[in-house]
């Protein structure tokens, strides 16, 4: 048995995989972000790398002097307590940059109330499965080749036919495919 | 060049609950740090969300840019170090400096027998024992070149 601490697809290594821009570059992403006045969305389906991209924007933005503020919603937590939001907005400064993962969990009405309150700060970048919340910075997508490249970062001799099969099985959801690789690895006897 | 290190007394890697974990933390930084802390902590590795908790910590008062300090922690009664398919719980002593930020960890095992508890489960064949001792060391490259061939 391969224990969790040695599984090459454990979450700490998966989360550390670099975002690999398709059809663009980090330079283009940062230029476009500036052109959008740092108010933008990262759009794409589940498991396409939105959160990874948001996480990897953080050091680049902090390096430009922005004060990073995090917000996160998901399917189990779809709203913030009022008191939390009051304190959150009270803490915002002119150089604050909000990184909001899962913003599309907010109802349209809540979003309409939320967005104007972010105007005093330097910017807001959200991840969303749907377009229209803010101008799109990047539309994340995946390919079978991308899954192969990422899986190979974690297990260098992974067969391409396996990653192709998992890519199709999980309909392009890279996170789910990598999690299945974790399960497969955990059942593979250590040599 | 900023350098930090943790040395556990006698090179020990395993402890029973209640035993004393002693060692020396050393740092060599380019300027006086804002803080230097030595922590005894556990954290998880595995498939799901990671978790961690500091069991005990000791902050160095007015730390110089370069110095060392001895530390001593009592190995807690729980949780034990363990590993299964889904999650491993790992104990460590860490040294963390802030401004300049640098850190290092030395993993240790805490359990009654001084070695990691191995957990089996997950609906796999019953030919595996419920628990047995793990090997003392676990390799970083657990899978060989043909590990996935039969999948």
């Amino acid at each position: 048995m391969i224990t969790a601490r040695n599984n090459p697809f454990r979450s700490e290594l998966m989360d550390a995989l670099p975002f690999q821009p398709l059809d663009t570059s980090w330079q283009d992403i940062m230029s476009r972000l500036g052109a959008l006045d740092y108010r933008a969305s990262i759009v794409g389906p589940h498991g396409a790398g939105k959160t990874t991209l948001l996480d990897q924007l953080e050091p680049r933005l902090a390096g430009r002097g922005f004060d990073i503020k995090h917000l996160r919603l998901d399917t189990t937590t779809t709203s913030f307590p009022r008191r939390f939001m009051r304190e959150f907005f009270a803490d915002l400064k002119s150089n604050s940059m909000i990184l909001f993962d899962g913003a599309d969990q907010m109802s349209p009405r809540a979003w309409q109330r939320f967005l104007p309150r972010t105007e005093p700060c330097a910017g807001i970048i959200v991840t969303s499965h749907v377009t229209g919340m803010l101008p799109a910075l990047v539309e994340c997508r995946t390919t079978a080749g991308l899954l192969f490249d990422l899986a190979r970062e974690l297990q260098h001799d992974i067969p391409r036919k396996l990653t192709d099969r998992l890519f199709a099985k999980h309909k392009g959801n890279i996170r789910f495919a990598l999690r299945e690789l974790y399960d497969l690895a955990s059942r593979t006897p250590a040599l | 060049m900023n350098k930090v290190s943790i040395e556990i007394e006698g090179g020990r890697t395993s402890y029973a609950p209640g035993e004393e974990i002693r060692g020396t933390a050393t740092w060599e930084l380019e300027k006086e740090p804002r803080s230097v802390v030595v922590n005894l902590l556990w954290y998880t590795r595995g498939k799901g969300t990671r978790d961690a908790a500091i069991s005990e910590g000791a902050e160095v008062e007015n730390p110089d840019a370069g110095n060392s300090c001895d530390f001593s922690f009592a190995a807690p009664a729980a949780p034990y170090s363990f590993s299964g398919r889904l999650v491993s719980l790992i104990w460590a002593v860490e040294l963390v400096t802030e401004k300049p930020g640098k850190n290092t960890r030395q993993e240790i095992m805490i359990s009654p027998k001084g070695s990691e508890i191995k957990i089996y489960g997950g609906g796999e064949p019953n030919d595996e024992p419920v628990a047995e001792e793990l090997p003392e060391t676990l390799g970083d490259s657990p899978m060989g070149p043909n590990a996935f061939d039969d999948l």
Side-chain angles (χ1 to χ4, degrees):
Chain A
M1 179 182 85
I2 291 191
T3 54
R5 63 154 67 208
N6 284 330
N7 193 306
F9 299 97
R10 60 187 185 266
S11 58
E12 64 174 302
L13 300 181
M14 244 172 69
D15 294 344
L17 285 171
F19 177 80
Q20 297 188 4
L22 295 173
D23 318 319
T24 184
S25 65
W26 273 109
Q27 193 177 354
D28 287 346
I29 289 171
M30 296 310 290
S31 298
R32 180 166 169 74
L33 191 53
L36 292 172
D37 202 21
Y38 295 96
R39 290 172 187 276
S41 62
I42 300 167
V43 184
H46 288 284
K50 301 182 297 297
T51 302
T52 304
L53 172 54
L54 191 69
D55 288 345
Q56 291 176 17
L57 277 171
E58 178 176 343
R60 291 171 166 85
L61 293 166
R64 293 184 177 198
F66 292 113
D67 171 43
I68 305 297
K69 301 286 186 188
H70 293 276
L71 286 175
R72 178 180 168 80
L73 291 175
D74 55 32
T75 51
T76 55
T77 308
T78 58
S79 64
F80 300 109
R82 280 179 187 225
R83 183 174 172 184
F84 170 84
M85 287 316 296
R86 258 201 315 273
E87 290 171 0
F88 179 82
F89 285 122
D91 276 350
L92 290 182
K93 303 171 199 146
S94 59
N95 70 334
S96 293
M97 176 67 60
I98 302 170
L99 302 184
F100 188 173
D101 193 21
D104 55 334
Q105 296 296 327
M106 268 190 170
S107 69
R109 194 173 163 192
W111 177 247
Q112 290 306 320
R113 285 199 304 268
F114 172 90
L115 192 56
R117 299 187 68 182
T118 67
E119 279 171 14
C121 70
I124 173 169
I125 304 166
V126 305
T127 68
S128 170
H129 298 110
V130 296
T131 56
M133 297 189 79
L134 285 168
L137 171 65
V138 175
E139 294 194 22
C140 292
R141 65 183 183 86
T142 59
T143 64
L146 175 62
L147 173 60
F148 178 60
D149 288 344
L150 291 172
R152 206 168 41 173
E153 293 262 334
L154 301 174
Q155 179 67 31
H156 66 90
D157 52 5
I158 193 107
R160 175 66 190 250
K161 65 181 179 186
L162 173 61
T163 59
D164 283 357
R165 180 166 67 74
L166 294 178
F167 185 82
K169 177 181 174 183
H170 293 291
K171 299 182 171 58
N173 186 325
I174 298 265
R175 183 164 291 273
F176 283 4
L178 290 173
R179 281 183 181 161
E180 182 159 352
L181 284 169
Y182 178 102
D183 292 336
L184 293 172
S186 76
R187 294 198 293 269
T188 303
L191 299 177
Chain B
M1 175 74 84
N2 295 318
K3 286 185 189 171
V4 291
S5 66
I6 292 265
E7 192 174 334
I8 307 274
E9 191 176 277
R12 281 185 69 177
T13 56
S14 61
Y15 295 85
E19 279 196 289
E20 196 175 2
I21 303 161
R22 284 194 301 262
T24 304
T26 305
W27 60 96
E28 194 65 52
L29 306 170
E30 58 203 11
K31 61 175 184 177
E32 282 186 5
R34 178 194 281 178
S35 68
V36 172
V37 181
V38 184
N39 292 318
L40 173 66
L41 79 161
W42 61 260
Y43 53 94
T44 61
R45 278 184 182 161
K47 186 178 183 182
T49 307
R50 283 167 283 162
D51 199 0
I54 293 174
S55 169
E56 202 176 336
E59 181 162 5
V60 177
E61 287 184 16
N62 305 315
D64 296 326
N67 210 332
S68 66
C69 72
D70 294 335
F71 58 81
S72 170
F73 300 114
Y80 297 157
S81 301
F82 69 84
S83 259
R85 283 202 170 109
L86 289 178
V87 65
S88 296
L89 186 143
I90 297 159
W91 280 96
V93 179
E94 71 171 5
L95 168 62
V96 182
T97 70
E98 269 188 54
K99 297 206 170 179
K102 198 82 182 163
N103 65 73
T104 186
R105 280 180 185 174
Q106 278 289 327
E107 291 186 6
I108 56 174
M109 290 185 189
I110 298 178
S111 78
K113 291 183 179 176
S115 59
E116 197 174 45
I117 308 293
K118 193 170 185 180
I119 308 290
Y120 290 106
E124 293 305 312
N126 292 327
D127 56 354
E128 292 172 333
V130 174
E132 69 176 33
E133 298 301 317
L134 271 186
E136 283 299 317
T137 55
L138 295 166
D140 285 336
S141 300
M143 290 191 289
N146 302 313
F148 288 104
D149 280 1
D150 59 345
L151 301 173

